C-alpha cells in the first residue's frame, strides 16, 4: 500500500473520505490579507469551517478545490472525537502513549494538540479544564493540508494507506492526567 500524500488537497480529501470522515471546505488564508472569514484577529486563519460550504464527496472534490484554492479541509467529529490539549501536555502525553499504542494526533498551530479517539468517548479524557472535547456533528477539526495543521501521528499505519484504529478516550485519560499534573507543578 502506498502512503497517503496529505500535502495535495484532493488526494488528502479522498483519503479522509476513505475513512468515512464527513468533510467540507473551510475558509482560505491569503498572505497579507488574512482569512476569508474577514475577522481581523482570526485566531486560526484558513483552518476553520466556512458555514456556506457544503459537504464534500468524491464527485464534488475537483470542482470544490478548483473554486476555492487554498481552502482549509474540515472534518466534522461524527466518526471520532477530538480531544484538544495545550501543546506542552500533548507532546508529553504522546511520548507516553506511543510506548503502548500510537494515538492518531494532529498538531494545530500554534499551541494545540488534537488527539482523535472513538466517537462519544472523548469525555473520558476530559481530566482538566485545559481539555476541550469536540464531538458529534456540531464539532469539527481542520485536517492537513489546512494552514497550520499537520499530523503528529496520522490516521494510517506509517508508510501505508491502511487505517489506524482509534482508541477509547479512557485509554488516554491517565496519560493526560499525569501530564497535566506535571505541567501544573512546573508552572507554580
Amino acid at each position: 500500500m502506498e502512503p497517503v500524500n496529505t500535502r495535495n488537497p484532493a488526494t488528502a480529501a479522498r483519503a479522509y473520505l476513505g475513512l468515512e470522515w464527513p468533510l467540507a471546505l473551510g475558509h482560505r488564508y491569503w498572505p497579507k490579507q488574512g482569512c476569508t472569514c474577514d475577522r481581523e484577529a482570526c485566531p486560526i486563519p484558513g483552518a476553520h469551517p466556512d458555514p456556506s460550504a457544503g459537504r464534500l464527496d468524491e464527485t464534488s472534490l475537483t470542482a470544490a478545490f478548483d473554486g476555492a484554492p487554498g481552502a482549509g479541509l474540515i472534518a466534522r467529529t461524527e466518526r471520532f472525537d477530538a480531544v484538544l490539549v495545550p501543546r506542552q501536555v500533548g507532546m508529553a502525553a504522546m511520548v507516553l502513549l506511543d510506548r503502548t499504542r500510537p494515538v492518531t494526533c494532529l498538531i494545530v498551530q500554534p499551541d494545540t494538540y488534537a488527539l482523535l479517539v472513538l466517537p462519544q468517548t472523548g469525555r473520558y479524557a476530559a481530566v482538566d479544564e485545559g481539555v476541550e472535547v469536540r464531538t458529534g456533528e456540531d464539532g469539527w477539526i481542520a485536517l492537513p493540508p489546512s494552514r497550520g495543521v499537520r499530523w503528529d501521528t496520522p490516521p494510517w499505519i506509517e508508510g501505508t494507506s491502511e487505517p489506524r484504529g482509534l482508541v477509547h478516550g479512557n485509554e488516554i485519560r491517565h496519560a493526560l492526567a499525569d501530564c497535566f499534573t506535571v505541567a501544573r507543578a512546573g508552572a507554580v
Side-chain angles (χ1 to χ4, degrees), residues 39-175:
R39 287 190 303 176
E40 198 164 307
C42 178
I44 45 177
H48 61 97
D50 178 350
S52 67
R55 209 170 246 197
L56 291 175
D57 60 30
E58 187 67 40
T59 59
S60 65
L61 282 179
T62 303
F65 286 114
D66 286 349
L73 195 55
I74 307 299
R76 292 288 168 196
T77 54
E78 295 171 22
R79 305 290 288 178
F80 56 83
D81 281 2
V83 178
L84 284 71
V85 297
R87 183 180 182 96
Q88 177 184 4
V89 171
M91 285 176 29
M94 290 305 293
V95 169
L96 292 175
L97 294 166
D98 280 346
R99 292 178 185 166
T100 56
R101 181 170 177 199
V103 175
T104 298
C105 178
L106 289 155
I107 300 172
V108 184
Q109 298 300 333
D111 58 2
T112 303
Y113 269 53
L115 290 74
L116 305 186
V117 297
L118 288 168
Q120 305 301 311
T121 69
R123 68 183 182 274
Y124 295 100
V127 296
D128 186 275
E129 68 215 20
V131 175
E132 176 188 350
V133 177
R134 295 183 186 173
T135 186
E137 63 183 38
D138 294 331
W140 61 273
I141 194 77
L143 300 171
S146 299
R147 181 178 185 273
V149 181
R150 66 182 175 85
W151 287 111
D152 175 274
T153 306
W156 305 280
I157 295 171
E158 192 171 332
T160 74
S161 58
E162 183 179 332
R164 178 186 311 280
L166 296 174
V167 301
H168 191 283
N170 203 40
E171 291 183 59
I172 65 172
R173 176 184 183 81
H174 297 293

